[in-house]
Amino acid sequence: MGKTFNVFYIVLVGIRLLLALSPGYIHPDEYFQSPEIMARSMLNIDAFVPWEYQPEHAARSILIPFLTTGLPFWLLEQYAHWFGTWTDVFPTVALFTVERVAFFALSLITDYTVLRLCRKLEKDELLPMLLTATSQVTMVYCTRPFSNATESFLLCLSLLALLSFDMDRTSGFALGALITAGLFNRITFLLFGLPTGLGFLYVARRQGRLIQSMIAFLLGASLTAAAFVFADSFYYGGLVLTWKSETEPLHCLTQLWADGYSLDTLQVDWQSIVLTPLNNLQYNLDVNNLATHGLHPLYTHLLIHFPLLFGPLAVMGIWAAWAALRIVRQDPHAYFFFVLLGTLVVGLVGLSSMPHQEARFLVPLLVPLVMLYTWDQSISIGSILFLLLWFGFNLVTGLIFANMHQGGLVGALSAVQKQTMGIQGCSPLPSGDIACSLSDVGGPVDTSGYQLNTHVIFYKTYMPPRHLLSIPIAWQQNGPARVLVEDVAGNKTKLHEALIQRQGSQLRRHKKDRIQIEFSPSKEQPGVYER
């Protein structure tokens, strides 16, 4: 690649970072399958725990969220301790930035994979890199903390590990570990990873070292599975670890190390083994369970979601793959072409056979589709018309989903946090209400001894991610300032009931140079003020 493209690529990465930090909200799972859980576990922030992470279901592994979002949150906490930046709470913008930047960094795995695959296959990397870097899937979906984005990264690394195993004769250990991690991340990885696994068996047999390769593969898979089972059993209570007769939860592990607890004070009590992929599979095999999340026609993925994610590439990628079948048998890496094609077909057909379908489920198909489209580079695949359609499609959809779609929710939560966790002194008013001054979030909250409740009602929005309010868990029981979130979805009756139940504040004139908010005496709790 020349200098011009390198500069252009850097610009594209900069645009990706801007889109990653944009407030667009694609689907509730981008918050509720990772950041919401990790903020509670790592930062002791009050958050909503979805059914998947409740011990009675234990349907999601905790290790992937811990590695992708939990560790960045822990680093944020260490930064606050080292530099004394915040005392009581983390500003909304800090939490939001950390979780988005973490996945922005992980999204570069996609670009790296395409670059390495092209060079190993001795193909020109310019067009594949351009398509990958300009796709809304990379720039928007992969920069959100979706488990689907992690699934895509693990598939990319698995494809790269397979080609490395073939060409460099490196161990299949890494491939076994990656495929196993993919299965614990999402059970749908069975569909995406199956062609890669079959490709591994084909290459190992062709090289005449099937047994050695399988031993290495199974060793990597077994050790990885053991790590996931250990972490999940610990998190969900199947495994109880006790130090000095005090049972410690997951978020206290770092404090145990800091306090100097040693292994000779550790007691291990295995009560049950938690297998989250099995629990998830059992749940999803019941159509009645899926109906609570929405049932869709079987053609939804193929006719709606596939074009919605990939635009003109959805059509041209399949056409180019069909055209490449004529010449692929003469290619020394023909098996890898069929692995890519199998990933596309098995993934698309397998997911389409399930009654619950969402567009983000198809995110891992990006790299296989790009590589299939650019496989036969002797034909005119990079035509001006196609590129214009491609850039236009991704520009429009990228702006919609990165910025506009449910884009006001994060700003609303930030405003609520500032008006709750930035309180610096309250005083009574002649009306019986109290007025509180505001300052920047992060310092100590001073309510002048008053107990303050803020009721926030969300109507016709996605589920609000509570962790962005950064309310300490202890405060929701007996804190100076509490936030009570009520999500009425689209129920107008519940909205009306919630509004008439609350006490309104009397309007008054405010001084221009002093920002204040009012709280009124609660109808339900004497001595408590609310708004």
Side-chain angles (χ1 to χ4, degrees):
M1 294 183 293
K3 285 186 177 181
T4 302
F5 181 81
N6 290 338
V7 172
F8 184 53
Y9 174 74
I10 292 174
V11 171
L12 289 175
V13 171
I15 294 174
R16 187 187 309 180
L17 179 59
L18 291 177
L19 294 179
L21 297 177
S22 298
Y25 184 177
I26 302 174
H27 188 277
D29 282 353
E30 70 183 87
Y31 291 110
F32 291 92
Q33 285 186 353
S34 187
E36 193 83 350
I37 307 303
M38 285 296 102
R40 186 180 185 89
S41 298
M42 303 300 294
L43 302 177
N44 286 316
I45 290 175
D46 183 65
F48 177 80
V49 179
W51 69 269
E52 298 104 316
Y53 289 96
Q54 293 171 4
E56 60 268 27
H57 297 289
R60 291 281 180 187
S61 176
I62 198 62
L63 194 53
I64 292 291
F66 172 74
L67 294 174
T68 57
T69 308
L71 285 181
F73 279 163
W74 179 79
L75 291 174
L76 175 67
E77 184 179 40
Q78 301 311 304
Y79 173 86
H81 288 163
W82 292 336
F83 297 99
T85 309
W86 306 295
T87 54
D88 292 338
V89 295
F90 298 97
T92 295
V93 66
L95 295 171
F96 178 80
T97 300
V98 165
E99 63 194 51
R100 289 291 180 86
V101 168
F103 268 76
F104 159 77
L106 289 171
S107 74
L108 298 176
I109 292 175
T110 307
D111 307 72
Y112 174 77
T113 299
V114 172
L115 177 65
R116 295 299 301 161
L117 289 178
C118 288
R119 290 184 175 177
K120 286 180 177 293
L121 295 170
E122 298 180 345
K123 296 182 180 296
D124 182 63
E125 65 263 24
L126 193 147
L127 183 59
M129 289 286 292
L130 180 64
L131 295 177
T132 302
T134 54
S135 171
Q136 61 142 343
V137 173
T138 305
M139 300 175 73
V140 180
Y141 284 83
C142 287
T143 58
R144 268 64 178 168
F146 280 122
S147 60
N148 310 92
T150 306
E151 185 176 35
S152 181
F153 306 147
L154 291 170
L155 177 62
C156 287
L157 294 175
S158 297
L159 292 170
L160 187 57
L162 172 62
L163 203 54
S164 298
F165 172 76
D166 177 28
M167 303 181 69
D168 305 331
R169 293 182 176 269
T170 52
S171 171
F173 181 93
L175 187 57
L178 288 167
I179 290 180
T180 303
L183 289 173
F184 273 87
N185 176 60
R186 289 184 66 86
I187 57 172
T188 51
F189 196 80
L190 179 64
L191 299 171
F192 296 118
L194 178 61
T196 302
L198 294 176
F200 168 77
L201 293 176
Y202 169 80
V203 173
R205 184 176 181 276
R206 188 183 65 180
Q207 294 176 349
R209 52 193 185 107
L210 180 61
I211 296 179
Q212 312 91 295
S213 300
M214 282 302 301
I215 291 174
F217 180 93
L218 293 174
L219 181 61
S222 300
L223 291 177
T224 303
F228 275 92
V229 170
F230 180 88
D232 293 339
S233 299
F234 181 38
Y235 182 79
Y236 291 112
L239 168 65
V240 178
L241 303 182
T242 307
W243 280 270
K244 293 184 177 179
S245 301
E246 295 183 2
T247 302
E248 302 288 353
L250 179 64
H251 64 263
C252 293
L253 285 181
T254 53
Q255 188 61 43
L256 290 173
W257 175 79
D259 291 343
Y261 282 29
S262 59
L263 289 177
D264 59 0
T265 64
L266 171 65
Q267 296 179 358
V268 180
D269 181 16
W270 277 101
Q271 298 180 352
S272 63
I273 295 177
V274 178
L275 299 175
T276 52
L278 180 60
N279 295 340
N280 197 297
L281 181 62
Q282 290 175 338
Y283 179 90
N284 283 281
L285 288 177
D286 189 340
V287 178
N288 293 326
N289 291 334
L290 296 179
T292 62
H293 306 281
L295 300 179
H296 307 90
L298 298 184
Y299 58 77
T300 304
H301 272 324
L302 181 63
L303 299 185
I304 299 175
H305 295 157
F306 195 50
L308 178 65
L309 286 185
F310 304 109
L313 189 60
V315 176
M316 296 301 294
I318 294 177
W319 172 82
W322 177 262
L325 284 172
R326 296 180 291 103
I327 56 100
V328 74
R329 295 190 183 277
Q330 288 76 42
D331 196 310
H333 305 296
Y335 82 93
F336 194 75
F337 173 89
F338 288 106
V339 167
L340 295 171
L341 184 61
T343 303
L344 177 64
V345 173
V346 174
L348 193 54
V349 173
L351 291 173
S352 296
S353 66
M354 301 175 186
H356 177 62
Q357 302 182 17
E358 296 176 18
R360 60 193 173 90
F361 294 173
L362 303 182
V363 165
L365 296 179
L366 173 64
V367 169
L369 194 58
V370 167
M371 295 304 298
L372 287 170
Y373 178 68
T374 57
W375 189 274
D376 183 6
Q377 299 184 339
S378 63
I379 60 177
S380 180
I381 55 175
S383 66
I384 297 299
L385 177 60
F386 169 78
L387 290 178
L388 288 176
L389 290 173
W390 173 256
F391 293 143
F393 166 80
N394 287 289
L395 176 64
V396 172
T397 55
L399 288 175
I400 289 174
F401 289 111
N403 191 61
M404 299 166 62
H405 193 264
Q406 296 278 321
L409 208 56
V410 172
L413 291 167
S414 179
V416 169
Q417 189 203 44
K418 179 175 176 59
Q419 295 183 17
T420 306
M421 311 306 287
I423 292 175
Q424 291 295 311
C426 303
S427 57
L429 296 171
S431 63
D433 294 348
I434 60 171
C436 302
S437 300
L438 295 178
S439 66
D440 293 335
V441 174
V445 177
D446 176 20
T447 64
S448 303
Y450 292 102
Q451 175 76 45
L452 307 179
N453 288 348
T454 296
H455 298 270
V456 189
I457 305 169
F458 288 86
Y459 174 60
K460 287 191 174 181
T461 70
Y462 278 169
M463 293 171 61
R466 274 74 157 175
H467 78 281
L468 292 180
L469 293 170
S470 191
I471 310 295
I473 292 176
W475 283 31
Q476 292 295 56
Q477 298 297 324
N478 190 28
R482 300 196 306 161
V483 178
L484 306 173
V485 175
E486 185 171 357
D487 181 13
V488 300
N491 192 321
K492 186 178 290 187
T493 301
K494 286 187 176 181
L495 172 66
H496 181 257
E497 292 174 351
L499 288 173
I500 63 174
Q501 186 179 0
R502 304 269 71 84
Q503 174 70 30
S505 299
Q506 295 187 25
L507 296 177
R508 70 183 183 92
R509 291 185 177 274
H510 286 244
K511 294 181 180 180
K512 293 182 179 180
D513 59 346
R514 188 180 182 188
I515 301 175
Q516 286 188 315
I517 55 174
E518 286 80 43
F519 291 80
S520 302
S522 172
K523 295 179 181 179
E524 304 162 312
Q525 298 173 279
V528 175
Y529 289 81
E530 68 178 17
R531 63 190 177 110

